[in-house]
């Protein structure tokens, strides 16, 4: 045996034989080294040198053919989490860091030869670092050891949602990422002193009545009472015009395609009594203007036309129905005021236009078949504003509805642009419907429902007491740029189907949750939820969901953030949950702790395990029951990478109820009483570059393989 002494860069070996000097030959850029020497009777001894400090000698014994290894590092010992000098004999240590270069020699040879870095460091251990010390040294956890190769990237922040492109929306960057919304404009539905109220709330005055008995213009026939009217109807040919003087007339029915023109609507009145059928019946179409059709006791439609039709400057008051337009050929109704007990206007024709019309009826406009174009339509005091039946194609723009049930009900195909709705519900797309809505401002209970196929919704602003947008019954579609506030329970509710949603902002809703997804294939992006009053902000629930959730800000949630329910396969990216103030804390019975992220995916065979990337969880106030991420009842353990948790709560991550475990990669945990805890022995937590701040510890009793 030889005794040896290692001093500075010189290894002096002395003993039975002649002393041998070994000089280390570190590569350029080396800042530290571990010298690994034989240890009697078997094993190794490690001595750490920092080339930037004093190099203290140490002695060892070995045989001539014993190998001595030098492990070279470009990092300092401090960066490696290793103290200089001899590393004490270890009962349980940690693997030495893999060196940047390695060399080997024997005591007898004294000549250094390059060695494989992994082979040279295999089995070499240095003292283990406890969690508090690991954090103080700037280390991070890799599996169950403190490491100093900690390339931890700060999570990317979520992209803010786009604001609705709608004149009712006013953005103010000082409020929050969503901006602020002014009160939705409302049309005053009370009657004007004269004229009629329009879709945008303005009052249109009726034109003045002429001084004489008839309207200005050239006419083919004249009538000033029922007798002369019947004579004129009998004498008129297709295309001719009959002028009615101021006065009151009985029912009109003709098979001639004529124009009937009153002096003015306020002083020219056509009526009918019960049993007469209709007040005005045009069997082959025609034109009617400047009249009041007043039949409050009539069981049929007050005005009915079959064939091409034009109506303008009319006041029609019916019972069962006010206006019914049938047959082929274009029909047009404009600048008129309609009222009825049941239906205001019915179109059942290939091409109909309703423009500048005010309707007060149980159901405002009903399109039975064909096509209808509606512009600047006000429907007030109604149960349903517009009903698009399955055989109808509708183009609706600049509408205002004030209804107890729904503004626009679609069973066929409809495009809605600039709808201002108040009351029960803004719109409803039934199963098998097609179309969409853009530019909707709503004040009332529920903004809108959709079960249609290929429904596109965009630029929606709502002040809701019930729900925002609900998509269900295996529908397919998308929604974009939505702002909601009020006391409602849901901002977005997706229940079965395939849906996409982009740019949703919800402020101050009472709901639990604000966004609910149940049994769908989905893609949700750019969601911002502010100051919701209950738990949870977002729930992804049952039945084999597969989807993505990206760019989500949950701000000011008092009790819960994101819940993943049974059979949920989802990828979450750029999620930021903030809880600036403590709120009412629910019970933690049965281990159901109030949680920022709650993973309860259960049996999820065939689904991709949930993944989270770029996650920030933070709170300004301590709350003893809160948990950052709670994993329970999971056979598909989730993975979270690139994260930061700043949580003065009971635990940053908790695994319970057979949760199966969780993988955490490239993140930082700060200020929690317990960094990671488990309540069942089957749970495993896998760590890869996780930095845990000073003062927090592992619950190492049951979390495996964590053993700090």
């Amino acid at each position: 045996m030889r005794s040896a002494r290692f001093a500075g860069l010189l290894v002096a070996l002395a003993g039975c034989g002649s002393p041998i000097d070994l000089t280390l030959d570190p590569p350029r850029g080396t800042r530290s080294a571990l010298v690994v020497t034989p240890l009697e009777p078997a094993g190794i001894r490690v001595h750490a040198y920092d080339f930037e400090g004093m190099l203290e000698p140490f002695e060892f014994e070995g045989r001539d053919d014993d190998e001595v290894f030098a492990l070279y590092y470009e990092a300092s010992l401090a960066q490696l989490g290793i103290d200089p000098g001899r590393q004490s004999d270890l009962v349980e240590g940690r693997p030495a860091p893999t060196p940047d270069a390695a060399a080997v020699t024997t005591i007898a040879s004294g000549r250094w030869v390059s060695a494989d870095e992994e082979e040279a460091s295999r089995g070499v251990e240095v003292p283990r670092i406890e969690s508090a010390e690991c954090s103080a040294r700037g280390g991070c956890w890799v599996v169950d050891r403190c490491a100093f190769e900690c390339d931890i990237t700060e999570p990317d922040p979520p992209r803010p949602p786009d604001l609705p492109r709608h004149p009712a929306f006013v953005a103010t960057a000082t409020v929050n990422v969503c901006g602020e919304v002014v009160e939705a404009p409302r049309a005053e539905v009370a009657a004007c002193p004269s004229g009629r109220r329009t879709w945008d709330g303005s009052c249109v005055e009726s034109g003045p009545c002429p001084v004489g008995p008839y309207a200005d213009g050239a006419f083919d026939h004249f009538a000033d009472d029922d007798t002369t009217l019947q004579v004129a109807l009998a004498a008129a040919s297709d295309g001719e015009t009959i002028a009615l003087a101021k006065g009151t007339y009985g029912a009109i029915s003709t098979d001639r395609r004529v124009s009937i023109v009153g002096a003015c609507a306020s002083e020219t009145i056509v009526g009918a009594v019960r049993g007469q059928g209709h007040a005005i019946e045009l069997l082959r179409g025609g034109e009617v203007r400047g009249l009041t059709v007043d039949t409050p006791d009539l069981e049929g439609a007050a005005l009915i036309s079959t064939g091409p039709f034009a109506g303008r400057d009319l006041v029609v008051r019916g019972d069962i129905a006010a206006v019914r337009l049938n047959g082929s050929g274009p029909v047009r109704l404009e600048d008129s005021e309609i009222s009825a007990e049941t239906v205001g206007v019915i179109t059942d024709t290939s091409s109909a236009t309703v423009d500048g019309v005010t309707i007060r009826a149980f159901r405002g406009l009903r399109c039975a078949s064909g096509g209808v174009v509606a512009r600047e339509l006000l429907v007030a005091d109604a149960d349903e504003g517009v009903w698009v039946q399955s055989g109808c194609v509708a183009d609706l723009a600049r509408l205002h509805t004030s209804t107890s049930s729904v503004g626009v009900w679609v069973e066929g195909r409809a495009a809605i642009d600039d709808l201002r709705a108040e009351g029960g519900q803004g719109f409803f797309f039934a199963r098998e419907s097609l179309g969409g809505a853009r530019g909707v401002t709503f004040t009332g209970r529920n903004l809108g429902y959709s079960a249609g196929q290929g429904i596109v919704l965009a630029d929606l602003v709502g002040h809701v007491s019930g729900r925002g947008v609900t998509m269900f019954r295996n529908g397919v579609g998308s929604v974009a740029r939505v702002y909601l506030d009020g006391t409602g329970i849901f901002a977005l509710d997706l229940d079965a189907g395939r849906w996409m949603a982009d740019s949703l902002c919800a402020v101050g809703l009472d709901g639990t949750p604000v966004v609910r997804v149940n049994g769908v294939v989905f893609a949700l992006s750019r969601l911002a939820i502010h100051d919701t009053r209950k738990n949870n902000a977002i729930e992804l629930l049952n039945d084999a969901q597969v989807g993505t959730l990206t760019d989500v800000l949950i701000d000011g949630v008092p009790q819960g953030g994101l819940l993943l329910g049974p059979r949920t396969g989802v990828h979450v990216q750029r999620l930021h949950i903030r809880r600036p103030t403590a709120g009412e804390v629910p019970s933690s019975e049965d281990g159901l702790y109030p949680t920022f992220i709650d993973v309860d995916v259960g049996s999820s065979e065939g689904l991709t395990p949930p993944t989270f990337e770029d996650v920030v969880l933070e709170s300004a106030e301590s709350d003893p029951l809160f948990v950052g991420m709670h994993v329970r009842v999971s056979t598909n353990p989730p993975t979270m990478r690139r994260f930061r948790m700043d949580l003065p709560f009971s635990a940053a991550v908790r695994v319970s109820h057979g949760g199966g475990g969780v993988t955490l990669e490239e993140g930082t945990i700060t200020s929690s009483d317990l960094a990671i805890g488990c309540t069942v022995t089957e749970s495993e937590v896998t760590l890869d570059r996780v930095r845990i701040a000073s003062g927090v510890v592992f619950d190492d009793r049951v979390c495996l393989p964590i053993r700090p």
Side-chain angles (χ1 to χ4, degrees):
M1 299 291 290
R2 291 178 186 248
S3 63
R5 187 172 67 89
F6 185 90
L9 298 183
L10 179 69
V11 178
L13 300 173
C16 298
S18 302
I20 299 176
D21 293 341
L22 299 177
T23 302
L24 292 177
D25 185 19
R28 184 182 298 275
T30 297
R31 299 177 64 188
S32 63
L34 296 179
V35 177
V36 183
T37 63
L39 177 66
E40 277 297 315
I44 56 177
R45 176 175 290 164
V46 179
H47 204 88
Y49 284 98
D50 195 329
F51 293 129
E52 298 174 348
M54 296 294 294
L55 304 180
E56 299 294 334
F58 78 98
E59 294 184 356
F60 67 94
E61 293 182 352
R63 293 179 293 270
D64 285 354
D65 59 351
D66 282 342
E67 291 181 321
V68 177
F69 289 90
L71 311 181
Y72 297 116
Y73 298 92
E74 296 177 0
S76 66
L77 290 181
Q79 291 172 321
L80 298 174
I82 301 173
D83 293 326
R86 176 179 170 179
Q87 308 300 293
S88 301
D89 295 338
L90 305 176
V91 176
E92 182 179 8
R94 61 181 171 108
T98 301
D100 298 299
V104 62
T105 187
T106 62
I107 293 176
S109 167
R111 185 175 63 254
W112 294 99
V113 179
S114 296
D116 181 81
E117 291 83 359
E118 291 188 1
E119 289 294 330
S121 60
R122 190 183 307 278
V124 179
E125 290 191 342
V126 293
R128 185 177 181 85
I129 298 177
E130 301 302 326
S131 58
E133 185 182 0
C134 180
S135 175
R137 291 183 177 222
C140 63
W141 289 94
V142 176
V143 189
D144 61 345
R145 66 183 179 89
C146 182
F148 293 87
E149 304 88 355
C150 299
D151 183 13
I152 298 177
T153 304
E154 179 68 13
D156 289 336
R159 299 173 299 159
D162 288 339
L163 303 178
R165 300 167 188 168
H166 192 280
F169 195 89
V170 178
T172 56
T174 59
V175 178
N176 52 49
V177 71
C178 301
E180 188 179 56
V181 66
V182 298
E183 185 71 12
R186 303 187 184 196
E188 177 60 51
V189 297
C192 294
S194 60
R196 62 181 178 84
R197 187 68 65 180
T198 65
W199 79 285
D200 62 358
S202 60
C203 187
V204 176
E205 298 294 331
S206 300
C209 288
V211 176
Y214 298 100
D216 297 334
F219 306 101
D220 300 298
H221 305 275
F222 298 87
D224 55 10
D225 57 23
D226 284 333
T227 300
T228 54
L229 174 58
Q230 295 304 316
V231 172
L233 290 171
S237 300
D238 287 352
E240 294 186 330
T241 301
I242 301 173
L244 301 185
K246 300 173 185 177
T248 301
Y249 300 84
I252 298 174
S253 179
T254 179
D255 60 359
R256 315 287 174 86
R257 189 172 295 171
V258 297
S259 297
I260 301 174
V261 180
C264 61
S266 61
E267 297 188 37
T268 310
I269 302 169
V270 176
V273 298
R274 187 177 298 275
Q276 286 187 303
H278 310 283
I280 297 180
E281 182 179 24
L282 305 180
L283 299 175
R284 296 176 52 238
E287 180 185 13
V288 179
R289 55 187 169 90
L291 294 174
T292 291
V293 183
D294 192 358
T295 56
D297 296 326
L298 195 64
E299 294 183 358
L303 188 159
I304 185 169
S305 174
T306 303
F309 172 82
R312 182 165 55 88
D313 297 329
L314 300 176
V315 176
V316 183
R317 293 188 284 265
D319 187 1
I320 301 300
V323 178
R324 183 176 185 110
L325 305 174
N326 302 325
S328 61
V331 302
R332 186 176 187 89
L333 178 64
E334 57 186 335
D335 301 330
S336 298
E337 185 169 2
I338 311 296
S339 60
E341 290 294 324
T342 305
V343 183
V345 178
I346 302 172
T347 65
D348 190 1
T349 182
S350 59
S351 176
T353 299
V354 180
D355 191 351
V357 175
T358 299
I359 303 175
R360 290 179 176 82
F362 180 83
R363 179 173 288 134
L365 171 63
R366 171 188 161 197
C367 177
S369 67
V372 63
V373 175
R375 297 288 185 270
E376 300 188 2
L377 177 68
L378 168 63
V379 181
D381 306 329
D383 181 74
E384 293 179 6
V386 178
W387 182 16
V388 181
Q389 293 185 259
S390 59
C392 177
V393 177
D395 178 1
L396 312 175
R398 299 187 298 280
L399 273 66
H400 186 100
T401 62
S402 178
T403 63
S404 60
S405 180
V406 61
V408 180
W409 180 288
V410 181
E411 296 172 355
R413 303 184 180 190
I416 305 170
D417 188 8
D418 198 352
L419 167 65
R420 304 179 186 185
E422 55 186 303
Q425 184 173 302
F427 56 82
F428 185 98
F429 285 88
R431 294 188 68 173
E432 308 304 328
S433 63
L434 294 172
R438 180 182 64 182
V440 177
T441 302
F442 175 76
T443 302
R445 191 167 65 249
N446 304 319
L447 194 158
Y449 284 76
S450 175
Q453 304 298 310
I455 304 301
V456 178
L457 308 174
D459 302 313
L460 314 179
V461 178
H463 312 282
V464 297
S465 60
R467 299 169 181 253
V469 178
T470 299
M471 298 176 168
F472 66 120
R473 292 183 182 174
N474 295 312
V476 178
S478 66
V479 58
R481 298 182 299 278
V482 182
Y483 180 99
L484 293 168
D485 63 16
T487 60
I489 59 172
F490 294 121
L492 182 63
D493 187 11
L494 308 181
D495 190 358
R498 298 172 183 265
W499 301 102
M500 297 177 60
D502 178 73
S503 293
L504 167 70
C505 180
V507 178
L509 298 184
D510 284 336
T512 175
V514 177
V515 175
R516 181 175 69 175
V517 181
N518 186 37
V520 304
V521 176
F522 65 93
L524 308 181
S525 60
R526 293 193 290 177
L527 312 182
I529 300 173
H530 294 266
D531 302 322
T532 185
R533 300 183 180 97
K534 292 184 180 179
N535 179 43
N536 287 296
I538 301 175
E539 292 184 359
L540 309 179
L541 299 175
N542 304 322
D543 301 328
Q545 295 176 38
V546 177
T548 59
L549 184 64
T550 60
D551 297 304
V552 179
L553 171 63
I554 302 174
D555 190 9
V557 176
Q559 296 179 14
L562 171 63
L563 168 66
L564 271 59
R567 292 190 57 76
T568 301
V570 62
H571 175 68
V572 181
Q573 186 165 18
R574 294 185 295 277
L575 170 66
H576 192 163
I577 304 178
R578 298 194 299 232
R579 186 173 182 267
T581 58
E584 179 183 353
V585 178
S587 169
S588 60
E589 296 179 1
D590 300 323
L592 301 181
Y593 297 88
T595 306
F596 271 28
I597 300 176
D598 194 347
V599 181
D600 184 17
V601 298
S603 177
S604 303
E605 291 82 1
L607 294 179
T608 301
T611 56
F612 300 82
E613 293 185 355
D614 298 300
V615 176
V616 175
L617 309 178
E618 59 183 354
S619 176
E621 293 192 12
S622 177
D623 205 319
L625 289 179
F626 258 85
V627 175
M629 182 179 187
H630 190 182
V631 181
R632 50 194 173 92
V633 196
S634 173
T635 58
N636 248 3
T639 296
M640 179 180 289
R641 61 177 62 94
R642 291 192 305 278
F643 66 90
R644 175 168 55 85
M645 300 185 189
D646 187 1
L647 304 170
F649 295 158
S650 65
V653 178
R654 182 179 295 276
V655 182
S656 65
H657 298 281
V662 61
T663 297
L664 303 176
E665 300 177 4
E666 197 176 343
T668 303
I669 298 174
T670 305
S671 298
S672 283
D673 293 338
L674 185 66
I676 301 171
C678 302
T679 61
V680 289
T681 57
E682 294 83 4
S683 298
E684 291 191 358
V685 178
T686 302
L687 303 181
D688 181 6
R689 290 165 295 160
V690 176
R691 180 173 288 123
I692 300 176
S694 176
V696 297
V697 297
F698 291 126
D699 179 1
D700 62 343
R701 294 165 297 174
V702 291
C703 277
L704 301 176
I706 296 174
R707 298 190 185 281

